[in-house]
Amino acid sequence: MDPNTAQLLFFGVIIVIVVGLMFRNGRKRQRDAATMTSGIKPGAEIMTASGIFATVVSVDEAENRITLRTGPTSELTVHRQAISRIVTPVADDGTELNGAPVVLDDAAADPAFGERVEPTRSEADDATRPTGGSASKASGD
């Protein structure tokens, strides 16, 4: 076989292998994306492609729209493909995968602006306990 023909054949095989790997990775990415978007359910915590973290409120399968809650009073409607990853998935029975119930509004537990909150017993004990630096100086004298 001519050396030029052998080189041409070698480079042809390399190009075919590289193109084959590119198609394989592309199909794998498409399959993973389809699996992820089909698994989006209300109550799941997600991150959009623009970096917004939100909780899924509703999914419109017909128009590929998802309504997201980003805060106590703000909601967004985005296309299904705008979801980049699921941060906290939801099981079929409506609980998180670790078994804890899904809480859509965490702000209800926070005190209102200006509201005084009494410390719990463990926080009060920690406040009266001397810190390491001052206690060692006091006991060393």
Side-chain angles (χ1 to χ4, degrees):
M1 191 188 293
D2 185 24
N4 289 336
T5 308
Q7 272 186 331
L8 187 61
L9 188 61
F10 176 72
F11 284 122
V13 168
I14 295 294
I15 288 174
V16 167
I17 290 173
V18 168
V19 169
L21 290 174
M22 286 173 34
F23 278 114
R24 185 174 146 238
N25 288 340
R27 275 188 267 135
K28 182 180 176 188
R29 249 185 272 120
Q30 283 179 344
R31 185 177 57 240
D32 291 345
T35 303
M36 193 240 350
T37 57
S38 67
I40 297 174
K41 296 180 178 130
E45 190 175 329
I46 56 95
M47 184 179 84
T48 63
S50 60
I52 298 172
F53 287 89
T55 304
V56 177
V57 175
S58 66
V59 179
D60 184 5
E61 299 285 341
E63 295 188 20
N64 287 330
R65 292 184 180 184
I66 297 177
T67 305
L68 305 172
R69 175 164 293 163
T70 57
T73 59
S74 62
E75 289 187 352
L76 298 172
T77 302
V78 297
H79 192 273
R80 180 182 290 267
Q81 291 178 342
I83 308 300
S84 66
R85 70 181 177 124
I86 299 174
V87 177
T88 306
V90 174
D92 291 332
D93 60 353
T95 61
E96 292 181 9
L97 291 182
N98 63 1
V102 175
V103 179
L104 292 178
D105 189 9
D106 292 336
D110 293 337
F113 180 74
E115 180 181 350
R116 187 173 295 243
V117 178
E118 296 298 323
T120 61
R121 180 143 178 95
S122 63
E123 290 174 354
D125 291 343
D126 289 343
T128 58
R129 185 175 302 142
T131 59
S134 61
S136 64
K137 285 182 185 177
S139 61
D141 288 334

